Structures are given as structure tokens and as C-alpha cells.
Amino acid sequence: MQSSRLTQQVQFVLEIDRLKQILRQTLLTDGSRRENSAEHSWHIAIMAFVLAEYAPTGTDLLKAIKMLLIHDLVEIDAGDTFCYDVQGHLDKSERENQAAERIFGLLPPDQAKELHQLWQEFEAQQTATAKFAAALDRLQPVLHNQQTQGGTWRLHQITRDQVMKRIAPIETGAPQLWTFMQQVIEDCVAAGYLNQPS
């Protein structure tokens, strides 16, 4: 007979499979389709250990990886809000907080508390670990847009200024990657992948 703890854990594991159905605006690097949120989370979690040498002092790498794996689970209920959708961001926090309560609440209380706290820390972006995790979350879509000749940016007529504002957390979350990212953006502008305000 299954323990109620295991029952809760399995229920959570089955529930989070739904993240594979949540489509993001970002295209895969081959441009063939939009990525889903589970793929995005997997990708940036791997980026965390590949790019660990660029993490600021005080970063807990394992904790950052955990944050990156769970940070978008709330999208199962709240959906993915496109980062440049001003209207969608008005109630994003409320939708995501409700989703966090429900989804993490499927777990046994100790695990529910741990994951909820990790998610809240990521959202607050106050610790070195959360800042590094957030930096990677901002970096990955830029690389995808570069590889797809401006894919999502061109589709939504995104400007250089909008992207620079969006990626600003990289400057403090992974300072050693900031110069690289600035160059990527300038290359994308020069290639015509990003609109330049007139």
C-alpha cells in the first residue's frame, strides 16, 4: 500500500507533465516551432552548470538549478505571459501566486514549503543565486532570437530598447556575461533582427 506522502509526490510529478503543453513565444534555434516551458526550464538548468564559472560570488549552484527547473511550473495554471506583453503583466503576479499555492500544495508540506520558497526567492531576485538564475532566464531567449534571425522579435516588432530593458538583470546576475550580451544585441541590430527606434 502506497503511503500518502508518496501519493502526493506522484500526483505532483504527474501534474507537472502539463508544463510540456505550455508554449512560449520563443522559437527553437532551428526555427521549426515554438519551444514549450518544460524545454525552456531544462535548457536554462543545463546552462547554469555549463556557465557556472560566470556566477557571482555567493551563488549556490544546486539551488540555482532547482530554481530554474521549477520557476515556470506556475505557467501550468497561469499560462506563459510574453515578456513584452504589457497588458498581460498587469495581473501576472496574482495569477502566478495562485498557481504556486495550488501546484506546490500538491506535495507533502515540507516539500511544498521548500519549492514555494525557492520560487519566491527566484521571483524576488534579491540573492546572488536568484540573480544568476534570472540572468540565465533572460539570456537564453536572446540566443534563440539571434539564431532565428530575430524570430520572435521580428514577429512582434520588438525594439533594441525593449530587449535591453528586459536583459538588464544580466548585468548584476552574471556580470561577466554582460559585455558578451551587449555585443550580441549590437550584432542583432546590425543584422536587422531588432528594430531601432527612429
Side-chain angles (χ1 to χ4, degrees):
M1 181 177 226
Q2 236 168 247
S3 73
S4 78
R5 181 177 178 85
L6 179 57
T7 299
Q8 288 178 286
Q9 291 165 329
V10 169
Q11 184 182 6
F12 174 80
V13 167
L14 293 173
E15 180 67 11
I16 65 172
D17 187 70
R18 292 176 56 204
L19 194 64
K20 298 171 188 174
Q21 299 168 7
I22 306 300
L23 292 179
R24 296 167 49 82
Q25 291 294 320
T26 308
L27 297 173
L28 299 183
T29 58
D30 69 358
S32 62
R33 64 173 174 84
R34 291 161 58 187
E35 73 174 344
N36 66 52
S37 288
E39 291 167 329
H40 168 73
S41 298
W42 161 83
H43 201 184
I44 57 179
I46 289 181
M47 286 171 60
F49 68 80
V50 170
L51 301 176
E53 64 200 82
Y54 306 105
T57 304
T59 299
D60 178 334
L61 186 60
L62 178 59
K63 192 175 188 184
I65 291 169
K66 287 180 180 180
M67 283 180 185
L68 292 169
L69 288 171
I70 63 119
H71 81 289
D72 277 340
L73 290 179
V74 294
E75 293 180 3
I76 291 168
D77 289 356
D80 176 59
T81 304
F82 184 41
C83 62
Y84 301 107
D85 177 1
V86 176
Q87 190 68 32
H89 278 266
L90 295 177
D91 67 345
K92 178 179 185 259
S93 180
E94 181 184 336
R95 285 184 286 117
E96 291 189 347
N97 277 310
Q98 289 175 0
E101 289 288 337
R102 185 193 75 78
I103 295 163
F104 300 134
L106 297 172
L107 284 163
D110 59 319
Q111 290 182 318
K113 182 179 178 183
E114 178 191 3
L115 267 61
H116 204 156
Q117 286 175 342
L118 279 171
W119 179 76
Q120 289 173 321
E121 183 178 341
F122 175 85
E123 289 295 310
Q125 293 183 32
Q126 297 297 310
T127 64
T129 300
K131 288 177 181 179
F132 179 60
L136 298 178
D137 189 40
R138 305 298 171 91
L139 188 153
Q140 187 251 14
V142 172
L143 297 178
H144 279 241
N145 277 291
Q146 179 193 38
Q147 294 302 305
T148 57
Q149 292 75 52
T152 303
W153 294 336
R154 291 169 78 150
L155 182 65
H156 296 281
Q157 301 177 342
I158 303 302
T159 66
R160 177 192 179 279
D161 290 348
Q162 287 175 287
V163 174
M164 291 304 292
K165 183 178 177 184
R166 176 70 185 161
I167 68 168
I170 297 172
E171 188 172 7
T172 53
Q176 294 178 55
L177 296 175
W178 182 239
T179 303
F180 165 73
M181 285 309 297
Q182 289 176 302
Q183 187 59 57
V184 169
I185 298 303
E186 295 316 315
D187 291 349
C188 287
V189 170
Y193 303 162
L194 267 173
N195 286 332
Q196 192 64 302
S198 48

